[in-house]
Structures are given as C-alpha cells and as structure tokens.
Amino acid sequence: LALRTGRLEEALAHLPASDAGAGRAGHREPLLLRSLIESLSGHPDIALAHAEQVLDAAVREGSTATRLVACTRAGHALAALGRTDEARSRYEEAVALARRVGVDRLGAEALLGKGMVEAGRSAGLASVEEAARLGREAGDIWFEALAALAAALLDSDAVRTAEARRLA
C-alpha cells in the first residue's frame, strides 16, 4: 500500500534488510520491490543491481515467475539509465515468459514499461493499452489507471481531444 500510494521511504522501511533467499518470491521478492523503489527514486544503478541479483538467483533456482518480474524491474532500471534497447529486450523477455506460463497478466507491468520506451511509435501505445486491458481484466484498478494515464501521455491526439472537450 505504501508503494502504491507513493510513500517510497515508508515502503522501504517495511522491507527486510537481508536479501537472503532471493529468487523465489515473485513480485513480492524484497529485492525486486527495492529495485522498483530505487528506480522510482532516481537510483537506477542500484535498482539494476538488485534486479540482476534476483534474476541470477531465479534462473539458478528455476523460478519463472520471479525471473519474469526481475526482467521487468531490470527493464525499468535500464530505461531510467537511457539504455532503451536493453530495456526493451528485458521487457520482451518478461512478456514472453508470461505467455509461456499462460498468465498474460504477469506481463502487464513489462508491457507498460515497453510501451514507455517505445513512446512515439504506434507499438508503444499498443503495448500500454494492452497493459491497461490486462489490469482491467484482473480487477487491478490502480494498475489499470496507471496504464491508462501512460496511454494518454503517449497518445497526444487523445490528450488534445480531451483538452478541447474540456475547453468547449
């Protein structure tokens, strides 16, 4: 809850200090939560180190779900570092893993990130809209709203149309 409401320092305080056991907890993996928070806080180098540490453990332990989330969080850090081709590759790997396990919703965060690094291209908007759809279908109102906001930011025509309606 602290993470979703932007209270990043509070969210960090709730996480265990140790990284023991990294590699099996999926999206609740403490180091992956730290990675997301560090990316959001402007520390992508730290975020990438956390994501890569968990990614290595997930591959060793055969944890597909954790690997998927680690790829996504590495993508966020790489995007923040301006390494967009590497970010796109990580996001695509995460989406492929989600499809391979048959749970597309697991790839929604990666689709959102992929869309943002592809801003200005129709594929970017399509990825973000797909992320919003997956959030809606899963009943995740917060994620759906986040993805819808990203779609509005990417679709300048939609933003101009909404502004014109507001002014009318």
Side-chain angles (χ1 to χ4, degrees), residues 68 100 143:
L68 183 159
R100 190 169 75 200
F143 185 83

Side-chain angles (χ1 to χ4, degrees), residues 19-20 22-23 31-32 47-60 70:
D19 61 358
L31 275 180
L32 292 180
L48 184 58
H50 289 327
E52 288 178 339
Q53 180 180 345
V54 176
L55 181 58
D56 289 343
V59 169
R60 264 193 326 274

Side-chain angles (χ1 to χ4, degrees), residues 18 29 44 47 57 63 67 69 80 84 90 99 104 110 114 121 156:
S18 169
E29 170 64 52
S63 179
R67 179 179 165 198
V69 178
T84 56
R90 285 298 185 191
R99 290 188 176 132
D104 288 346
K114 182 176 183 273
R121 297 173 17 189
S156 59

Side-chain angles (χ1 to χ4, degrees), residues 2-66:
L3 177 61
R4 284 189 171 213
T5 57
R7 299 184 328 261
L8 302 181
E9 288 183 28
E10 181 182 337
L12 275 174
H14 288 292
L15 295 173
S18 169
D19 61 358
R24 286 230 172 247
H27 71 284
R28 295 192 188 281
E29 170 64 52
L31 275 180
L32 292 180
L33 289 168
R34 286 184 183 284
S35 177
L36 179 59
I37 292 166
E38 294 293 357
S39 284
L40 293 170
S41 299
H43 304 108
D45 49 340
I46 296 169
L48 184 58
H50 289 327
E52 288 178 339
Q53 180 180 345
V54 176
L55 181 58
D56 289 343
V59 169
R60 264 193 326 274
E61 296 176 15
S63 179
T64 303
T66 301

